Amino acid sequence: MSTRVRTTRIVGLAALAGSALAITTLHVVEPGFPPLSATVSEYALSPHGWLMNMFFIMLALGSACLAALQPPDRSVRQGLLAAWSAGTLACAAFPTDPGSVPTTVPGYMHSVAAMLAFTALFACQVMHASRAEFRVASIATMSGVVV
């Protein structure tokens, strides 16, 4: 395994672990947040909103590393993962609006970025599931969990 591949894996795994830590910390420090009636992006509107932005940035970095590690013959999957990463990064750049106010331009951009990101991730999962060699990585990707 080359040094570039090893470094990309380590950075990717560290970024994904950091994103999991950020969102878990948000759940702990914001116990009054209603997860059943609000979107997770609304954490960015809380006093600890910077953790939500860190979550988005770390998730985008980890996903970009995963895209970079795809074999060359998987260019469509690589492109879909890159689109997911870009959409996730855009969600950090454009904060969402609270549900009780009219939509602003940044809130609209956040919604469009999230829609495009989740569409790309879903398409990537469907593509991967159609070729799945039922290994741990395949099952994890189909479930939306990146290992």
Side-chain angles (χ1 to χ4, degrees), residues 8-107:
T8 303
R9 281 185 178 177
I10 291 170
V11 169
L13 287 173
L16 293 171
S19 71
L21 180 63
I23 198 72
T24 302
T25 303
L26 269 170
H27 286 308
V28 171
V29 300
E30 294 289 338
F33 185 81
L36 298 177
S37 63
T39 63
V40 72
S41 293
E42 290 182 38
Y43 269 129
L45 305 173
S46 74
H48 301 95
W50 64 273
L51 280 167
M52 190 68 216
N53 289 333
M54 288 304 301
F55 165 77
F56 282 135
I57 292 167
M58 300 289 264
L59 184 61
L61 176 61
S63 299
C65 289
L66 181 63
L69 290 170
Q70 294 298 306
D73 64 333
R74 305 276 198 251
S75 61
V76 174
R77 188 184 315 161
Q78 193 172 27
L80 289 169
L81 284 169
W84 157 253
S85 299
T88 305
L89 193 57
C91 285
F94 299 103
T96 191
D97 293 321
S100 60
V101 300
T103 304
T104 62
V105 172

Side-chain angles (χ1 to χ4, degrees), residues 128-139:
H128 189 69
S130 68
R131 299 174 151 205
E133 307 142 4
F134 287 94
R135 302 176 307 208
V136 173
S138 298
I139 295 167

